[in-house]
Every structure is written in structure tokens, then in C-alpha cells.
């Protein structure tokens, strides 16, 4: 069964580890958000591509939730000591990937080619595709404590400023020029199942859908598409979705997250804590709902969540 997963970072990485227990990894294509990418220290950093890669390679730091297990931060401490920007946590093993990627991009390779080389080197069987080879940058318009307006790149809003600013709007710079990376539309068209990972609907999945042709390709396969709620019991399991969803008119609930995919998905997996929302999701949004434990504390739970999503997508 060929499966396409639309993926952000950590929520997606955990879910994909379960998905590859349910179907062979070589049957899975993950289309990953790149709108969080940035250049820092002259290095091209792709947090969601790297998170998904590290989780699938078994190299992620499960407790911290980002970066590589067992890495040190000596280079970052040196950057701090030298007076450089040290607000973005870059471990020494993670830095290796950014060095290699930046070098290859500089030699003219596309982000897709670089991603294929990195994932092959780390033994990842899933095909990981960036949503686009062209750069797209999420920008957050907000208001700070003093009431002054700000505009920040996504990582500055989230990591440097700790999501403290009141979000007024979210924009994806460069999205109009971004074409889907090679293979993205073809994979969606050929998929037996399309799954939206439990990822941030506003800054992880929305940019993927906004790349030209992707939303229409998914909508055309709606009967084969299902998603998993990243919102459990009225709050995100991790991250800042609760700060962003209201700014784009979405209620912070499993229903509100589902409504981001109105007309795109046939099924929606919610947590047991949100079972009471199932009738409204079914009646208001016309999606079939499956209810299960979706807190992916280990791969066995993630496999059950993935199986529920696949059953909805193919049922
Ligand atoms: P990020 O770019 O690393 O923040 O990654 P994602 O967009 O993939 O993931 C963030 C979303 O995943 C957040 O909204 C979380 O609520 C959700 N998430 C993380 N872990 C879990 C989990 O175990 N279960 C569910 N249902 N959602 C999760």
C-alpha cells in the first residue's frame, strides 16, 4: 500500500515511526514542511526535515523532543562565548548535517537531492521529500508586550522569543513562486492513502498545502485522505499551536484542527479525551472519526494511531 504523509517535525516523526511498523518503509513518502527553514551562521537549517529524518533513523532525542540523542553542545557554547547568536540550539551531531547540506547546496544540488543523500546515509527507508526545492519562509506578524507591532521569522518568534508575542497573522514568504519538489504531486496522485500527521496545522501542514498544486492534488484524493489531531483535550501535546490557531480563526480543539482540512480529508483520528467532539466533526465537517489513545509515548502507540488513520483513509 503506497502511503503519502504530510509532515511537520516532531509530531510527524513520532507518528511516522508507527506508520513504518504498519506498512513497509519503502511504501511511504513523507512530504515535509520547509517553511520553518532558516539560514544561521551561514548554514542552511531545515528543522522539520531533520526531525523526521532523525526520528525515522532512530537517532532523535525522544525526551528533549528535538535534535540528536547523545549529542553535546560544545560548538554552541563556543559560539556563545565568542558573542555569536546562540539562541537556536544546535547540537554538535546536528551541526554535522547542516554543514554537509550547506556544502552540497552551495555546489548546486537541490534540497531534494541533498535530502535524499542525507537520508540514505542515515539508513532511512522512507522517501523524504521537501515540500519544495524553492525557499519558503514563515513570517509571524505580532504585537509585543509594549503593544508595538513586530514581524519575525518563525524561529525567532518561537525559539528566540518563546512564542510570547500575540500573533496577528501568519504569512509564507516565497510561497507563490514555490513549485512542488520533484515527485510530490506524483506521489499524492498514486497514493492508496494520504495521511496528515499530527503536526501543527498553521505552520507545518498549511505551508505544504499552499505549495502550488498540492491542495488540489489532495482534494482530488479526498476519499483516500485522513489526518490525526495534534490537539488533545483542547491543547497541543507540545509546541505553540494554541498561540497560532486563534490568529487564523481556528478553535484550539480537535474540531478546530479538523476544520483546517475541511474538504480535504475523509477521516480524522481524535484522542479518547476528545470522543465527545466526534459527532460534531462528523456532522459539521463531514469527516468520519476514529477515537483512540493518540499520545505517542512509544512506537506501539504510534503504530495504533497510524493504523487508525490508514483504516479511515482506505475504508
Ligand atoms: P514541530 O515542527 O516539531 O513543532 O512539529 P509538528 O508540526 O510535526 O508537531 C507539532 C504538533 O505535534 C503539535 O501541535 C503537537 O501537539 C503534536 N504532537 C506532538 N506529539 C504528539 C503526540 O504524541 N500525539 C498527538 N496527537 N500530537 C502530538
Amino acid at each position: 500500500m503506497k502511503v503519502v504523509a504530510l509532515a511537520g517535525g516532531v509530531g510527524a516523526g513520532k507518528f511516522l515511526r508507527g506508520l513504518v511498523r504498519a506498512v513497509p518503509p519503502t511504501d511511504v513518502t513523507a512530504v515535509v514542511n520547509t517553511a520553518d527553514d532558516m539560514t544561521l551562521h551561514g548554514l542552511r537549517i531545515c528543522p522539520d526535515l531533520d526531525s523526521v529524518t532523525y526520528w525515522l533513523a532512530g537517532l532523535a532525542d525522544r525526551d528533549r523532543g528535538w535534535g540528536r540523542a547523545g549529542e553535546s553542545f560544545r560548538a554552541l557554547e563556543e559560539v556563545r562565548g565568542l558573542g555569536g547568536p546562540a539562541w537556536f540550539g544546535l547540537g554538535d551531531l546536528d551541526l554535522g548535517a547542516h554543514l554537509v547540506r550547506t556544502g552540497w547546496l552551495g555546489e548546486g544540488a537541490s534540497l531534494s537531492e541533498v535530502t535524499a543523500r542525507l537520508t540514505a546515509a542515515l539508513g532511512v527507508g522512507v522517501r523524504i521529500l521537501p515540500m519544495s526545492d524553492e525557499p519558503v519562509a514563515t513570517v509571524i506578524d505580532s504585537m509585543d508586550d509594549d503593544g508595538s507591532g513586530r514581524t519575525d521569522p518563525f524561529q525567532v518568534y518561537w525559539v528566540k522569543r518563546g512564542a510570547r508575542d500575540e500573533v496577528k497573522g501568519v504569512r509564507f514568504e516565497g510561497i507563490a513562486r514555490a513549485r512542488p519538489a520533484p515527485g510530490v504531486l506524483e506521489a499524492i496522485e498514486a497514493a492508496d492513502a494520504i495521511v496528515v500527521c499530527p503536526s501543527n496545522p498553521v505552520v507545518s501542514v498549511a505551508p505544504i498545502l499552499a505549495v502550488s498544486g498540492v491542495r488540489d492534488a489532495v482534494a482530488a484524493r479526498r476519499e483516500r485522505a485522513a489526518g490525526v489531531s495534534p490537539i488533545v483535550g483542547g491543547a497541543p501535546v507540545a509546541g505553540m499551536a494554541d498561540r497560532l490557531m486563534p490568529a487564523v480563526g481556528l478553535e484550539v480543539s480537535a474540531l478546530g484542527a479538523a476544520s483546517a482540512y475541511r474538504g480535504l480529508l475523509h477521516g480524522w483520528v481524535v484522542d479518547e479525551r476528545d470522543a465527545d467532539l466526534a459527532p460534531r466533526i462528523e456532522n459539521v465537517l463531514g469527516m468520519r472519526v476514529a477515537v483512540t489513545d493518540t499520545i505517542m509515548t512509544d512506537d506501539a502507540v504510534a503504530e495504533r494511531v497510524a493504523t487508525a488513520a490508514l483504516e479511515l483513509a482506505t475504508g
Side-chain angles (χ1 to χ4, degrees):
M1 177 167 40
K2 299 281 181 214
V3 183
V4 168
L6 306 188
V10 176
K14 290 189 211 170
F15 174 82
L16 289 166
R17 285 187 65 82
L19 184 63
V20 296
R21 287 163 58 117
V23 295
T26 47
D27 280 2
V28 177
T29 299
V31 177
V32 180
N33 172 42
T34 57
D36 295 358
D37 295 4
M38 67 170 167
T39 300
L40 188 66
H41 315 297
L43 300 176
R44 193 65 183 156
I45 301 172
C46 304
D48 285 354
L49 281 171
D50 289 339
S51 289
V52 165
T53 301
Y54 296 156
W55 277 86
L56 283 169
L59 299 170
D61 190 313
R62 202 176 253 279
D63 298 328
R64 197 172 58 218
W66 52 269
R68 293 271 303 263
E71 66 188 339
S72 58
F73 288 84
R74 296 191 64 195
L76 187 71
E77 287 318 312
E78 187 68 7
V79 168
R80 195 189 308 279
L82 294 170
W87 55 270
F88 194 79
L90 291 172
D92 294 341
L93 299 179
D94 192 27
L95 265 175
H98 309 321
L99 289 170
V100 171
R101 172 167 41 230
T102 306
W104 285 336
L105 288 171
E107 289 165 10
S110 68
L111 184 58
S112 318
E113 288 161 355
V114 169
T115 303
R117 287 189 220 167
L118 291 174
T119 51
L122 294 174
V124 173
V126 167
R127 183 161 70 133
I128 298 183
L129 300 178
M131 65 186 200
S132 176
D133 281 336
E134 281 91 37
V136 177
T138 297
V139 169
I140 305 290
D141 295 316
S142 67
M143 192 122 82
D144 71 13
D145 299 342
D146 305 334
S148 349
R150 301 183 54 91
T151 295
D152 293 300
F154 173 72
Q155 299 296 352
V156 172
Y157 159 77
W158 165 228
V159 181
K160 190 172 187 183
R161 296 183 58 80
R164 66 174 181 267
D165 304 310
E166 192 185 328
V167 180
K168 297 292 179 195
V170 180
R171 293 179 284 127
F172 308 126
E173 282 184 352
I175 197 75
R177 289 184 307 278
R179 290 161 298 166
V184 167
L185 295 182
E186 294 81 351
I188 294 170
E189 282 155 15
D192 299 301
I194 298 164
V195 289
V196 174
C197 298
S199 289
N200 189 312
V202 183
V203 289
S204 292
V205 184
I208 303 174
L209 292 171
V211 174
S212 80
V214 174
R215 173 177 290 277
D216 288 347
V218 175
R221 310 293 321 286
R222 179 177 180 275
E223 294 305 316
R224 290 269 167 185
V228 180
S229 180
I231 304 296
V232 173
V237 179
M240 72 337 272
D242 54 331
R243 308 279 296 158
L244 295 174
M245 290 174 71
V248 298
L250 298 174
E251 175 188 293
V252 186
S253 71
L255 169 69
S259 69
Y261 308 116
R262 189 191 281 265
L264 285 179
L265 303 183
H266 164 76
W268 189 242
V269 180
V270 303
D271 193 82
E272 286 157 352
R273 269 160 274 189
D274 298 313
D276 57 326
L277 294 173
R280 278 171 64 208
I281 296 170
E282 291 183 334
N283 297 334
V284 178
L285 300 175
M287 294 179 186
R288 284 182 52 210
V289 175
V291 180
T292 187
D293 171 17
T294 69
I295 303 297
M296 297 179 287
T297 43
D298 61 33
D299 295 342
V301 182
E303 182 181 358
R304 286 199 294 277
V305 177
T307 302
L310 289 177
E311 281 173 6
L312 283 175
T314 56

